Amino acid sequence: AQSVSQHNHHVILSEAASLELGCNYSYGGTVNLFWYVQYPGQHLQLLLKYFSGDPLVKGIKGFEAEFIKSKFSFNLRKPSVQWSDTAEYFCAVMFRGGADGLTFGKGTHLIIQP
Amino acid sequence: DVKVTQSSRYLVKRTGEKVFLECVQDMDHENMFWYRQDPGLGLRLIYFSYDVKMKEKGDIPEGYSVSREKKERFSLILESASTNQTSMYLCASNQQGRVSEAFFGQGTRLTVV
């Protein structure tokens, strides 16, 4: 079965530090890739997505992610985090053109210390 | 803007009760999904539907059923609620046949006591 792995379940950083959250998936076919964010008490929001083309995608709030097909990875990055980035981050993969919905990783709880 | 609306933000039900969670989307999406979200487990797919009256089991369908009588509405049913079904339930939808992300509702926090 297809699966999605997020490397870190809890990350604590200081403001202005750089961020990289890892995401890997297991599937050899065509995938669509997403990062969602959930701020405390709020619903899931799309940060960025990759469907095709340039493997480096830019999202909202200064986030970016790079799709590396050979590594089955889609890591999320931000050069300088802010306290307001404290949230839960979910990597998600759409396999087989979306016929089976999105498969999510278990999430990374990011805490930014002022 | 796509809107996926879940009927309740918070619900408290008793063990053994039949529970209905309702979801409506206004973008004419073919696909609709129900997930549950639990700390440390991420989001897990319960059921999804790709057309009216059609349904497919997701990863954790046990204890749940669904109904899709109209394209815009997808209901999740807990036939006999149990305490291990206390969770956050998220509905989502997306368009079939083209590349599109899923849009999520605000979630229903269900507590079974």
Side-chain angles (χ1 to χ4, degrees):
Chain A
Q2 301 96 341
S3 64
V4 180
S5 298
Q6 290 183 237
H7 305 163
N8 312 98
H9 296 303
H10 293 91
V11 174
I12 301 174
L13 294 173
S14 299
E15 276 192 307
S18 65
L19 170 71
E20 180 159 2
L21 300 182
C23 174
N24 287 87
Y25 63 92
S26 63
Y27 182 65
T30 301
V31 294
N32 299 325
L33 301 159
F34 307 84
W35 277 96
Y36 282 86
V37 61
Q38 188 173 38
Y39 298 103
Q42 297 188 27
H43 65 279
L44 278 170
Q45 302 174 39
L46 182 68
L47 261 184
L48 47 79
K49 61 189 177 187
Y50 172 80
F51 291 158
S52 64
D54 189 345
L56 184 63
V57 293
K58 295 194 184 299
I60 60 172
K61 306 190 180 189
F63 285 92
E64 65 179 32
E66 185 175 12
F67 171 48
I68 303 179
K69 190 174 182 180
S70 60
K71 294 184 178 180
F72 302 92
S73 71
F74 189 56
N75 292 353
L76 181 71
R77 299 195 291 248
K78 186 170 183 179
S80 177
V81 295
Q82 301 171 302
W83 176 79
S84 58
D85 293 325
T86 294
E88 189 98 20
Y89 292 81
F90 295 95
C91 178
V93 181
M94 191 176 281
F95 302 104
R96 301 200 304 138
D100 302 324
L102 282 169
T103 299
F104 283 83
K106 293 184 178 180
T108 297
H109 188 200
L110 175 66
I111 297 173
I112 306 300
Q113 296 176 328
Chain B
D1 262 3
V2 175
K3 275 234 169 72
V4 179
T5 304
Q6 295 181 229
S7 54
S8 306
R9 288 295 303 271
Y10 301 95
L11 275 179
V12 180
K13 296 291 181 181
R14 295 193 181 278
T15 301
E17 275 193 79
K18 190 168 186 175
V19 181
F20 292 86
L21 303 183
E22 306 287 345
C23 175
V24 176
Q25 50 94 2
D26 65 359
M27 282 301 290
D28 204 36
H29 285 168
E30 294 85 358
N31 296 338
M32 295 189 74
F33 310 89
W34 275 106
Y35 292 87
R36 65 177 279 177
Q37 181 182 7
D38 300 288
L41 297 177
L43 280 76
R44 294 177 292 167
L45 183 64
I46 305 171
Y47 266 98
F48 66 97
S49 167
Y50 52 89
D51 200 353
V52 174
K53 297 193 186 295
M54 306 303 291
K55 60 184 179 184
E56 292 285 343
K57 292 180 180 179
D59 299 319
I60 51 162
E62 296 79 16
Y64 303 94
S65 62
V66 290
S67 171
R68 192 155 180 213
E69 297 296 319
K70 293 185 178 181
K71 191 176 185 180
E72 67 271 18
R73 187 179 295 271
F74 192 37
S75 303
L76 179 69
I77 303 156
L78 287 66
E79 295 289 342
S80 177
S82 63
T83 54
N84 63 12
Q85 292 178 310
T86 292
S87 186
M88 171 70 85
Y89 290 87
L90 295 170
C91 175
S93 72
N94 75 344
Q95 197 167 349
Q96 202 174 84
R98 62 176 292 235
V99 178
S100 113
E101 74 259 30
F103 296 88
F104 284 82
Q106 78 277 24
T108 297
R109 165 100 33 213
L110 172 67
T111 303
V112 182
V113 297

